[in-house]
Amino acid sequence: MIARTESDTPYDPQLWKALAADIGAAGLLIPEKLGGQGATHREAAVVIEELGRSVAPAPYLTSSVVATETLLALGTQDGPVAGLLAELAAGRQVAVLAVPFSAAVADPATLTGALDGTLGPIADAAAADVLLVPTTDGLYAVATDAAVSPSSPSCRST
């Protein structure tokens, strides 16, 4: 397990596909009208408990709970937020909230026409397709194709 978490693929893509897309667990907390299951936190807690019991390498907590709840808190039922929620529910994308493990941030993200800053390390950043970056001006979805360093789970966005 330690070797996997320290590798370039810290989670099992086949397990994530089975859990997220095939079983539909990634969309448990997402309302049915947005492509999810419309379940409660109780059902999500059962999934988390079972994943923890088996020490499963999957970004469930960070994507299907934390990032999903962050997006749902925006209250937007259409547009880009709804589109991202549908992608998360279907297991086609993984999103994580880009907040560092510690409270001390040397260079927080600021808005100067574009996001510019360094955050790190971020839980499950290496597994993410999208980073949700909170700033004083709002929440930004940043594609990870250029934002995440492959050598460390941190974010540099410009």
Side-chain angles (χ1 to χ4, degrees):
M1 183 55 58
I2 297 294
R4 176 172 288 282
T5 61
E6 294 177 352
S7 73
D8 287 339
T9 310
Y11 74 102
D12 182 345
Q14 300 296 45
L15 171 64
W16 181 245
K17 180 187 177 303
L19 182 68
D22 299 343
I23 296 173
L28 278 179
L29 298 176
I30 298 172
E32 289 183 58
K33 66 182 175 182
L34 296 176
Q37 310 304 323
T40 68
H41 290 102
R42 180 171 290 152
E43 288 84 6
V46 170
V47 173
I48 291 170
E49 183 176 3
E50 290 303 311
L51 290 172
R53 184 179 60 77
S54 65
V55 194
Y60 184 78
L61 177 63
T62 51
S63 184
S64 301
V65 178
V66 176
T68 294
E69 285 295 338
T70 301
L71 291 168
L72 289 171
L74 297 174
T76 305
Q77 300 299 311
D78 57 3
V81 172
L84 181 53
L85 284 167
E87 291 292 304
L88 295 176
R92 290 187 293 265
Q93 289 201 352
V94 173
V96 299
L97 187 61
V99 293
F101 286 129
S102 68
V105 178
D107 185 16
T110 58
L111 186 64
T112 58
L115 287 177
D116 183 30
T118 302
L119 295 171
I122 300 165
D124 283 336
D129 300 303
V130 177
L131 296 174
L132 301 178
V133 182
T135 71
T136 56
D137 292 327
L139 184 69
Y140 293 84
V142 178
T144 60
D145 51 4
V148 176
S149 166
S151 61
S152 69
S154 61
C155 169
R156 173 74 184 148
S157 178
T158 56

